[in-house]
């Protein structure tokens, strides 16, 4: 007898939730796969009624938006889950956050408005801490880079080395002075970069700074994604990508103030 | 590389607080492979302020994090110790060479992953040795921790280095490097040792390290190698092992936990962020095994059988799932189908978790149809796992030698049932190098496999069924009837395996349906040296480590050439060599290096069982036939603890805490 996919009550998805989570402290060393595993377990542990794909090895329906690389911290990572029961997003946030290890923190959950999450995640804002580099040094390098129209860098991808322009997608780049966690003075770069293919990451910008101005940080920099969302090209700022979802829920509530 | 102690750490206990080394480590992590393995922060990990505790343990599984973190022994001790309000237990694992090099360059000591505290600052550095191949990793950890390698060179400021785990049943090869060893179940023993250290520190640590070790030794349950002298005959054999000072017992006893239901650990299994070798929660359903397979050290040293009750198992499974979110629970033991109520356990759990995408697995290699019923039952709730059967020996004769009571008919009937139930693939485990074995015994494995495929094709009605033959090299172990046996040299092992491979490969009718997996015989010789070695093997371990030997359990890091070269040099002025420790048969009268460590097994009984083995006489299981006087129960004051309890697993009614919070 041939093996059939196991029969399960694969309840249909009735609600889509969008989550914003942070990757903090020592957990910045998690890879995307590590986070996927942790999240799937946390969803089970929190008892979130996930919708599953069908087949021999059913998977919970989760879609991830481009994740920050291993080693980078983030205050603004996003994903979407489908559930088989209507849930209060705030309760999901609290339950899921409690089920994840400290350092993987669920910051925000909203019910998804129509449209793709990827469409609103147009740009990222990053802070790049450069220990043992002065703000002056960093500022000079930034000026040199921003003066160029195009700077080609090379990065190792799974498919092999790839060359691409790291300057074009940079919307804003500025150097400031700051302090490391241990209180030492350091330079801090603020970067706003448009999402392109391939995505230009902070390490590509650092490569570009080295190529253009010879800036070579003596210690590995500490990178943090501060925000992701729609880009306002005028001001060069990144807005809240979940604002539209919240607004559409507010509309629904206004139209029907007593659901159920 | 430098083997100088590289950091001075705060004196244990004297320091009010101990700084985390994470800031220094953090700068190194972007430069190494898989940094996540060094950061800790797992779900269910514990952190405590240093000052709030009085007795502090650093627990190490001396292998890579991905192998060490799922280890049940360490997880149990970690939880049992941390449940004590004034006790701190943190975990540490072996660091890979990329980080080791950086740590040496930047003076970062061996650290715990929980709070990144230096291992050298703890009261006890406990290492759990599931296998002997972790010994070189222990030396790296000691050295990185700034703890002198030689126990005799340590002072009051250093932790007590304590070995446990199955390999500790013969700790003699590492006697120079450890301060103490505990054999048997660790949870109760760890609490007793903790209580002793707590009192000792409260008294102001009178007499320092030496006196603390003396107090531990006097319990009769902690082995302190430095308190025993070993004398040798001119030919290299041990003459005697004697306590070197008054008050030290002649023999040290193993620890046996009874009433497993009273020890439901781990209650909150660790959920690592990094990928590990076992992505599941584990519930131990019983300890011990009295099937009496003569090669099996685990079975011999964990007697008698002590079961967890069906209801205890049910509670632990549910609690683990709630605490972890794992998709799979393994029902662990040495032979899980042997639990007196396993059928009820399997049915009860399958009923409870049907439709929840929760897989239940049960490691059992018993060659009978019941095993397949269990697998069928368990696959109702989740994925269907593979089927593995372990006849262990290829011929009827050799199976009598090893006391594996399986006939060829049993095997064929069992796999027929498997293929008939829709399995397309089965795995068969065998060993090579067993006492009295000839080429013919091993070549019969091919016969068996052919017969399996032939009948399998008939019952399945199709040709695409497979069987995989997996062969491990036999290594004689202490505290087994084969502790006297000659280990087969690696050349003969390899030659025998090649003959078998050729026979299978050349079989035109069935060969393509038979997979063949084996390891070469060389690592087994090193394992044999470390298993049955005595104190003189310590210098070999140190020489290998100084030569760069690390992670010997990993084939890509293991170097047979290095072990043999270092052994030749280190043992050059002694009447013994690697062959002497491995391929030499021992006589009854010989003093074995582990004779003063009491596993409860009566040496006379082991010898009789060895003679029975040579005469191809089998012995039954004391769970369903009368006691055969192996000695353990009277010696240790224990009893078999098995069901049936007659209880049932009721459906789960309460919904999980998480689910409640979600819906309000
Ligand atoms: S002493 Fe008897 S009952 Fe106890 S484990 Fe040995 S054979 Fe079994």
């Amino acid at each position: 007898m041939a093996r059939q996919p196991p029969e399960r009550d694969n309840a249909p998805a009735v609600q889509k939730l969008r989550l914003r989570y942070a990757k903090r402290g020592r957990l910045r060393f998690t890879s995307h796969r590590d986070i996927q595993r942790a999240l799937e377990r946390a969803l089970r542990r929190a008892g979130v009624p996930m919708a599953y794909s069908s087949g021999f090895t059913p998977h919970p329906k989760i879609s991830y938006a481009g994740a920050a690389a291993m080693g980078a911290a983030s205050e603004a990572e996003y994903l979407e889950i489908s559930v088989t029961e209507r849930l209060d997003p705030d309760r999901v946030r609290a339950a899921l956050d409690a089920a994840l290890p400290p350092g993987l923190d669920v910051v925000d959950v909203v019910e998804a408005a129509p449209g793709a999450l990827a469409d609103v995640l147009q740009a990222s804002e990053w802070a790049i801490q450069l220990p043992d580099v002065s703000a002056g040094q960093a500022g000079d390098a930034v000026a040199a880079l921003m003066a160029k129209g195009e700077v080609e860098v090379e990065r190792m991808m799974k498919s092999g080395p790839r060359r691409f322009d790291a300057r074009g997608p940079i919307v804003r780049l500025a150097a400031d002075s700051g302090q490391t966690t241990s209180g030492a003075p350091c330079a801090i770069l603020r970067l706003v970069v448009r999402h392109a293919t391939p995505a230009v990451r902070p390490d590509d910008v650092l490569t570009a700074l080295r190529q253009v101005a010879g800036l070579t940080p003596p210690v590995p920099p500490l990178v943090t994604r501060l925000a992701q969302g729609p880009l306002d090209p005028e001001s060069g700022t990144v807005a809240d990508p979940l604002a539209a979802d919240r607004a559409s829920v507010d509309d629904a509530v206004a139209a029907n103030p007593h659901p159920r | 590389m430098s083997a100088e102690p590289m950091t001075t750490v705060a004196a244990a206990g004297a320091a009010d607080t101990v700084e985390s080394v994470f800031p220094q480590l953090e700068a190194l992590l972007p430069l190494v492979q898989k940094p996540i393995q060094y950061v800790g922060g797992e779900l269910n990990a514990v952190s405590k302020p240093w000052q709030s505790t009085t007795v502090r343990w650093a627990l190490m599984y001396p292998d890579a994090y991905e192998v060490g973190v799922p280890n049940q022994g360490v997880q149990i001790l970690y939880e049992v110790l941390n449940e004590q309000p004034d006790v701190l237990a943190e975990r540490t694992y072996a660091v890979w060479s990329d980080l080791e090099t950086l740590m040496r360059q930047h003076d970062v000591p061996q650290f715990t992953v929980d709070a990144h505290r230096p291992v050298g600052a703890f009261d006890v550095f406990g290492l759990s040795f599931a296998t002997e191949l972790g010994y070189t990793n222990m030396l790296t950890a000691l050295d990185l921790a700034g703890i002198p390698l030689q126990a005799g060179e340590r002072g009051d400021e250093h932790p007590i280095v304590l070995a446990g785990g199955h390999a500790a049943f013969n700790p003699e090869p590492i006697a120079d490097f450890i301060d103490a060893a505990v054999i048997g179940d660790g949870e109760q023993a760890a609490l007793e040792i903790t209580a002793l250290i707590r009192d000792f520190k409260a008294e102001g640590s009178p007499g320092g390290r030496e006196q603390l070790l003396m107090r531990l030794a006097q319990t009769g349950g902690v082995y302190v190698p430095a308190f025993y002298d070993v004398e040798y005959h001119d030919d290299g054999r041990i003459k005697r092992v004697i306590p070197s000072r008054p008050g030290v017992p002649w023999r040290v006893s193993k620890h046996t936990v009874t009433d497993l239901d009273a020890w439901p650990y781990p209650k909150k299994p660790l959920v690592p962020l990094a990928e590990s070798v076992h992505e599941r929660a584990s519930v131990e359903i019983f300890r011990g095994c009295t099937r009496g397979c003569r090669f099996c050290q685990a079975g011999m040293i964990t007697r008698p059988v002590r079961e967890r009750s069906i209801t205890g198992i049910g509670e632990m499974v549910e609690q683990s799932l709630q605490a972890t979110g794992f998709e799979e629970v393994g029902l662990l033991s040495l032979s899980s189908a042997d639990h007196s109520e396993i059928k009820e356990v399997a049915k009860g759990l399958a009923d409870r978790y049907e439709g929840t995408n929760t897989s239940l697995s049960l490691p059992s290699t018993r060659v009978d149809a019941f095993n397949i019923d269990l697998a069928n039952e368990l696959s109702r709730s989740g994925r269907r796992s593979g089927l593995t059967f372990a006849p262990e020996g290829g011929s009827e004769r050799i199976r009598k030698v090893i006391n594996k009571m399986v006939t060829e008919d049993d095997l064929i009937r069992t796999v027929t049932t498997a293929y008939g139930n829709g399995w397309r693939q089965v795995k068969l485990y065998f060993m090579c190098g067993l006492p009295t074995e000839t080429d013919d015994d091993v070549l019969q494995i091919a016969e068996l496999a052919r017969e399996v495929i032939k009948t399998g094709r008939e019952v399945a009605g199709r040709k695409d069924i497979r069987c995989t033959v997996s062969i491990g090299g036999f290594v004689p172990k202490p505290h087994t009837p084969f502790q006297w046996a000659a280990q087969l040299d690696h050349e003969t092992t390899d030659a025998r395996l090649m003959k078998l491979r050729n026979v299978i490969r050349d079989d035109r009718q069935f060969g393509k349906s038979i997979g063949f997996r084996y390891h070469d015989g060389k690592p087994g010789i090193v394992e044999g040296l470390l298993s049955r070695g005595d104190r003189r093997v310590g210098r070999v371990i140190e020489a290998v480590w100084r030569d760069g030997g690390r992670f010997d359990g990993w084939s890509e890091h293991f170097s047979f050439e290095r072990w043999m070269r270092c052994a030749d040099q280190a043992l050059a002025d002694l009447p013994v060599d690697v062959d002497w420790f491995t391929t030499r048969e021992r006589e009854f009268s010989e003093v074995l290096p582990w004779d003063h460590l009491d596993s409860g097994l009566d040496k006379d009984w082991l010898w009789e069982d060895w003679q029975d083995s040579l005469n191809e006489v089998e012995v039954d299981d004391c769970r369903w036939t009368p006691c055969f006087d192996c000695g353990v129960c009277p010696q240790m004051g224990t009893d078999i603890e098995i069901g049936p309890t007659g209880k049932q697993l009721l459906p789960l009614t309460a919904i999980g805490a998480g689910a409640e919070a979600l819906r309000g």
Side-chain angles (χ1 to χ4, degrees):
Chain A
M1 73 186 176
R3 281 182 57 187
Q4 298 289 322
E7 289 222 11
R8 286 174 217 287
D9 45 348
N10 276 331
V14 299
Q15 189 185 30
K16 241 187 206 179
L17 297 169
R18 285 183 182 163
L19 276 73
R20 173 181 168 190
Y21 69 93
K23 180 167 74 139
R24 293 173 175 149
R26 54 184 169 174
L27 290 207
R28 71 186 169 96
F29 292 106
T30 44
S31 71
H32 184 51
R33 275 166 57 88
D34 298 335
I35 291 175
Q36 282 177 313
R37 265 196 318 273
L39 187 85
E40 286 185 26
R41 280 180 194 142
L43 287 163
R44 286 171 63 86
R45 190 160 173 257
V48 177
M50 293 297 294
Y52 274 79
S53 65
S54 42
F56 273 109
T57 49
H59 285 289
K61 287 186 178 165
I62 308 174
S63 54
Y64 297 86
M70 184 182 75
S74 177
E75 290 297 316
E77 300 295 291
Y78 292 89
L79 56 85
E80 218 168 57
I81 61 173
S82 299
V83 292
T84 61
E85 198 180 304
R86 290 195 60 80
L87 299 169
D88 173 7
D90 285 341
R91 284 180 183 275
V92 173
R93 195 209 63 75
L96 198 55
D97 188 46
L100 280 164
L104 283 183
D105 302 326
V106 183
V107 183
D108 204 352
V109 178
V110 299
E111 181 162 356
L117 181 57
D119 290 345
V120 287
L121 299 180
Q122 296 162 352
S124 285
E125 182 176 355
W126 298 90
I128 307 169
Q129 202 185 80
L130 303 172
D132 295 346
V133 175
S134 73
Q137 261 176 305
D140 293 347
V142 165
L145 173 59
M146 294 309 279
K148 303 263 182 206
E150 197 183 310
V151 177
E152 221 180 50
V153 298
E154 187 175 294
R155 174 159 34 108
M156 214 40 199
M157 311 255 185
K158 278 198 191 90
S159 49
R162 187 158 165 195
R163 296 190 69 81
F164 53 93
D165 175 27
R167 167 64 188 88
I170 298 178
V171 181
R172 211 150 51 91
L173 179 62
D176 220 333
S177 60
Q179 277 190 351
T180 64
T181 33
S182 51
C186 68
I188 294 183
L189 302 180
R190 283 297 190 109
L191 166 71
V192 175
V193 63
R194 237 181 315 106
H195 292 174
T197 315
V200 171
R201 308 191 312 199
D203 49 321
D204 300 320
V205 174
L206 289 167
T207 307
L209 287 169
R210 194 187 61 227
Q211 279 173 211
V212 172
L215 182 76
T216 41
V219 178
L222 203 157
V223 170
T224 308
R225 171 139 64 190
L226 301 174
Q228 253 193 105
L231 177 69
D232 177 2
E234 297 294 302
S235 62
T237 53
V238 177
D240 177 8
L242 304 183
D245 306 275
R246 262 188 282 270
S248 84
V249 171
D250 289 347
D251 289 351
V253 173
N256 178 14
H258 303 289
R260 283 202 238 177
Chain B
M1 88 186 32
S2 149
E4 293 292 310
M6 40 163 301
T7 38
T8 40
V9 292
D16 280 2
T17 191
V18 163
E19 295 285 318
S20 162
V21 301
F22 194 68
Q24 296 98 287
L25 181 67
E26 193 174 16
L28 309 181
L29 291 181
L31 310 173
V32 304
Q33 292 285 311
K34 296 198 213 161
I36 183 67
Q37 64 186 311
Y38 304 116
V39 306
E42 303 90 344
L43 190 69
N44 299 329
V46 177
S47 67
K48 289 184 183 183
W50 186 260
Q51 301 98 311
S52 72
T53 57
T54 45
V55 183
R56 304 175 185 111
W57 290 67
L59 301 172
M60 179 175 202
Y61 188 87
D63 202 332
Y65 178 85
E66 64 187 90
V67 179
V69 77
N71 180 263
Q72 288 296 290
V74 171
Q75 287 204 24
I76 291 170
L77 291 180
Y78 179 71
E79 202 171 317
V80 165
L81 289 168
N82 276 321
E83 270 184 7
Q84 305 272 311
D86 69 333
V87 179
L88 172 69
E90 299 195 7
R91 295 159 297 127
T92 184
Y93 303 95
V95 299
W96 288 105
S97 64
D98 56 351
L99 184 58
E100 185 190 336
T101 307
L102 288 166
M103 285 165 69
R104 289 182 188 283
Q105 278 166 15
H106 296 268
D107 274 1
V108 178
Q110 178 80 25
F111 55 86
T112 61
V113 297
D114 296 286
H116 295 92
R117 288 166 172 143
V119 164
F122 287 75
D123 297 305
V124 186
F125 179 24
L127 295 111
S128 176
F129 290 104
T131 99
E132 298 81 3
L133 297 173
Y135 291 161
T136 49
N137 286 351
M138 164 179 68
L139 296 186
T140 310
L142 287 173
D143 186 48
L144 285 173
I147 301 169
L149 296 190
Q150 299 287 328
E153 290 166 22
R154 291 174 200 149
D156 289 351
E157 71 276 26
H158 296 117
I160 298 293
V161 178
L162 179 72
H166 285 183
F169 273 80
N170 175 22
E172 290 301 272
I174 51 169
D176 293 345
F177 315 121
I178 59 172
D179 296 298
V182 164
I183 61 170
D185 299 330
E187 47 270 76
Q188 216 159 9
L191 290 178
E192 285 163 17
I193 291 170
T194 298
L196 197 147
I197 296 176
R198 183 190 286 127
D199 292 348
F200 177 74
K201 286 177 89 167
E203 290 167 35
S205 307
R209 180 181 200 83
E210 170 94 2
Q211 270 311 306
L212 175 57
L213 290 171
M214 194 62 197
R215 287 192 192 185
L216 289 168
Q218 279 167 336
T219 63
V222 179
Y223 175 54
V224 179
F227 295 165
Y228 294 80
D229 288 334
V230 183
E231 294 167 13
Y232 300 95
H233 291 292
D234 290 343
D235 65 3
R237 285 175 306 134
I238 294 172
K239 193 189 271 170
R240 52 182 198 154
V241 179
I242 45 168
S244 59
R245 60 201 72 194
V248 175
W250 282 85
R251 296 188 84 197
V252 179
S253 291
K254 82 163 176 181
H255 296 257
T256 311
V257 162
T258 55
D259 187 9
L260 253 49
D261 281 344
W263 296 91
Y265 298 94
K267 295 172 183 165
K268 292 183 160 189
L270 291 163
V271 187
L273 286 147
E275 201 162 2
S276 69
V277 292
H278 289 139
E279 299 280 316
R280 63 172 182 228
S282 297
V283 173
E284 191 183 25
I285 64 172
F286 64 87
R287 269 188 208 171
C289 178
T290 37
R291 289 217 156 230
C293 302
R294 292 178 173 125
F295 54 82
C296 180
Q297 187 193 38
M300 293 287 165
I301 63 180
T302 57
R303 292 171 175 211
V305 170
R306 291 145 290 151
E307 286 186 354
R308 196 182 298 285
S309 70
I310 177 169
T311 43
I313 293 168
E315 278 162 32
M316 276 191 76
V317 168
E318 178 56 14
Q319 196 171 26
S320 304
L321 288 171
Q322 294 278 343
T324 61
F326 277 126
E327 281 198 323
E328 186 183 336
V329 182
L331 304 176
L332 300 193
S333 73
L334 291 171
S335 176
S336 290
D338 288 352
H339 188 284
S340 64
E341 285 176 305
I342 193 63
K343 205 168 150 193
E344 293 76 11
V345 168
K347 175 163 188 316
L349 292 176
D351 286 349
R352 276 187 177 178
Y353 297 107
E354 191 157 10
T356 63
N357 290 309
T358 304
S359 299
L360 298 159
S361 63
L362 179 135
S364 167
T365 57
R366 231 171 78 175
V367 184
D368 55 34
F370 177 60
N371 229 349
I372 301 167
D373 293 346
L374 286 175
N376 272 331
E377 189 81 85
L378 292 174
S379 67
R380 276 201 286 139
S381 59
R383 280 190 260 274
R384 199 177 207 185
S385 55
L387 272 185
T388 303
F389 303 104
E392 308 286 5
S395 69
E396 208 91 24
R397 189 194 72 79
I398 202 83
R399 287 195 293 273
K400 287 199 172 125
V401 169
I402 62 179
N403 200 39
K404 191 88 198 180
M405 295 198 259
V406 175
T407 63
E408 178 165 349
D409 284 352
D410 293 336
L411 178 66
I412 300 302
R413 216 176 314 121
T414 305
V415 294
T416 306
T417 314
Y419 291 125
N421 272 275
W423 265 271
R424 296 275 160 267
Q425 155 124 354
V426 298
K427 251 193 238 163
L428 302 177
Y429 276 4
F430 295 93
M431 277 189 295
C432 177
L434 292 161
T436 77
E437 178 186 278
T438 63
D439 283 0
D440 191 49
D441 292 310
V442 168
L443 290 177
Q444 283 198 43
I445 295 172
E447 290 295 324
L448 270 183
R450 269 198 288 258
E451 201 54 39
V452 161
I453 295 295
K454 188 166 155 250
T455 32
R457 284 179 185 172
E458 280 163 28
V459 290
R462 52 199 295 168
K463 278 198 140 187
D464 64 350
I465 55 149
R466 286 186 60 76
C467 101
T468 304
V469 169
S470 210
I471 308 199
F474 167 66
V475 178
K477 294 276 164 133
H479 306 280
T480 69
F482 289 164
Q483 62 182 355
W484 292 278
Q487 185 174 352
L488 189 62
D489 62 89
H490 66 89
E491 292 90 347
T492 313
T493 301
D494 291 347
R496 221 165 251 173
L497 289 172
M498 283 311 103
K499 280 181 200 159
L500 175 61
R501 188 195 62 181
N502 293 343
V503 170
I504 292 176
R505 197 188 46 198
D506 296 345
D507 187 316
R508 312 189 84 195
Q509 207 181 351
F510 302 113
K512 285 207 160 40
S513 302
I514 303 171
F516 187 54
R517 300 227 153 76
Y518 66 97
H519 295 286
D520 72 280
K522 286 173 177 169
I525 291 294
V526 172
E527 200 189 325
L529 171 72
L530 298 175
S531 307
R532 290 195 296 170
D534 56 36
R535 291 186 180 190
R536 295 168 291 189
V537 172
R539 55 178 94 173
V540 181
I541 300 169
E542 188 172 339
V544 164
W545 176 76
R546 289 197 185 277
D547 197 59
R550 305 284 189 278
F551 289 95
D552 288 298
W554 297 67
S555 52
E556 61 268 50
H557 299 288
F558 172 82
S559 165
F560 183 70
E561 180 277 324
R562 173 187 280 147
W563 274 96
M564 292 306 112
R565 176 165 43 78
C566 291
D568 280 349
Q569 287 161 11
L571 301 174
D573 59 341
L574 294 171
V576 296
D577 58 13
V578 172
D579 287 351
W580 191 87
F581 285 110
T582 55
T583 57
R584 180 180 64 97
E585 186 170 336
R586 280 76 158 164
E587 288 182 351
F588 179 67
S589 59
E590 181 166 340
V591 175
L592 301 173
W594 51 89
D595 278 349
H596 55 299
L597 290 148
D598 187 5
S599 60
L601 294 157
D602 181 19
K603 199 174 176 188
D604 291 329
W605 178 81
L606 283 173
W607 179 261
E608 275 163 37
D609 203 41
W610 170 224
Q611 300 310 305
D612 281 351
S613 158
L614 296 173
N615 295 323
E616 296 162 23
V617 175
E618 295 163 292
V619 53
D620 236 308
D621 190 315
C622 60
R623 273 169 293 179
W624 27 86
T625 59
C627 167
F628 47 77
D629 289 324
C630 78
V632 171
C633 292
Q635 182 73 5
M636 296 293 145
T638 50
D639 252 318
I640 304 178
E641 295 177 352
I642 55 173
T645 63
K647 297 206 178 112
Q648 299 282 320
L649 285 182
L650 303 172
L652 291 173
T653 45
I655 63 170
E660 236 166 74
L662 261 183
R663 292 175 186 86

